[in-house]
Amino acid sequence: MDFLTLTIGKQKNIALIAHDQKKHELIQWCETHKEILKGHFLCGTGTTARMITEATGLPVKGYNSGPLGGDQQIGAKIVEGRVDFVIFFSDPLTAQPHDPDVKALLRIAQVYDIPIANNKATADFLITSPLMNDEYEHNVINFHQNIRERASTL
C-alpha cells in the first residue's frame, strides 16, 4: 500500500499565519468569515493569533511567533494530524529572516496534502467551498512503508 487515506473532519483544525505586513489583512479576512470560522478549531503563530482574538473575539490557540519557531510548531501539528488546513497570508515583497522555516511549513503541508492558502483570493475560495462543511478524504504517502523500503536498500 503506497498511500494511506486520511480524513479531514467536518470541524477543521485551521492554522492562521501572517507575515507582519499582512496581519491586518488576515484579521479583516477573519472578521469577514467569522461565522464560518466559529465552527472550527483555530490556532496560529504568536502575534497573529493574539491580534485575531483581540480584534474578532475568535478563540485562536497561539504558538510561538514565526521567527521563534511557530511555523515549525504548526508544521509538527500537521505531521501529528492536529492541523489540517492552513491560511498563511505571506508577504512576497519583504525578506523574512525565518524564510527556511516558512519553506519547511509549505513543504510539509504539501507532503501531507493539506489545503493551504497563501493569499486572500485563495483563502476566499477555500473557506467558501462546499467541502468546508463535509468530511474530506485524501491520500498521503504511506510513510512507514516508504521508510521500510528505503532502509532495505541501504
Side-chain angles (χ1 to χ4, degrees):
M1 177 184 253
D2 292 337
F3 292 93
L4 297 173
T5 301
L6 300 180
T7 302
I8 296 174
K10 286 184 178 187
Q11 183 182 36
K12 311 295 185 266
N13 297 297
I14 302 172
L16 301 167
I17 308 166
H19 287 146
D20 288 349
Q21 300 302 319
K22 297 289 186 168
K23 289 187 189 320
H24 291 290
E25 184 179 356
L26 180 59
I27 291 166
Q28 182 56 51
W29 183 87
C30 288
E31 185 64 43
T32 299
H33 297 287
K34 187 175 181 176
E35 290 307 310
I36 296 170
L37 292 170
K38 279 182 184 178
H40 302 283
F41 172 76
L42 307 175
C43 66
T45 50
T47 308
T48 303
R50 182 180 51 77
M51 290 175 71
I52 291 169
T53 296
E54 288 174 0
T56 67
L58 289 166
V60 183
K61 177 181 176 39
Y63 292 106
N64 287 351
S65 127
L68 298 177
D71 299 323
Q72 294 300 292
Q73 286 178 298
I74 289 176
K77 298 299 177 197
I78 290 172
V79 172
E80 294 169 4
R82 298 178 64 194
V83 166
D84 46 36
F85 197 100
V86 178
I87 305 294
F88 186 170
F89 282 16
S90 61
D91 180 1
L93 301 177
T94 304
Q96 302 297 324
H98 62 296
D99 192 55
D101 297 335
V102 172
K103 287 181 178 165
L105 173 62
L106 297 175
R107 182 186 159 282
I108 210 68
Q110 283 184 292
V111 167
Y112 283 85
D113 195 31
I114 297 300
I116 184 163
N118 64 356
N119 59 39
K120 182 181 177 301
T122 307
D124 286 343
F125 273 80
L126 289 178
I127 201 78
T128 60
S129 165
L131 296 173
M132 282 301 295
N133 300 318
D134 294 327
E135 288 186 348
Y136 178 78
E137 291 186 350
H138 59 125
N139 294 327
V140 298
I141 295 170
N142 184 337
F143 298 105
H144 296 294
Q145 178 181 332
N146 183 273
I147 290 168
R148 278 193 305 274
E149 289 173 1
R150 289 178 57 209
S152 71
T153 64
L154 298 178

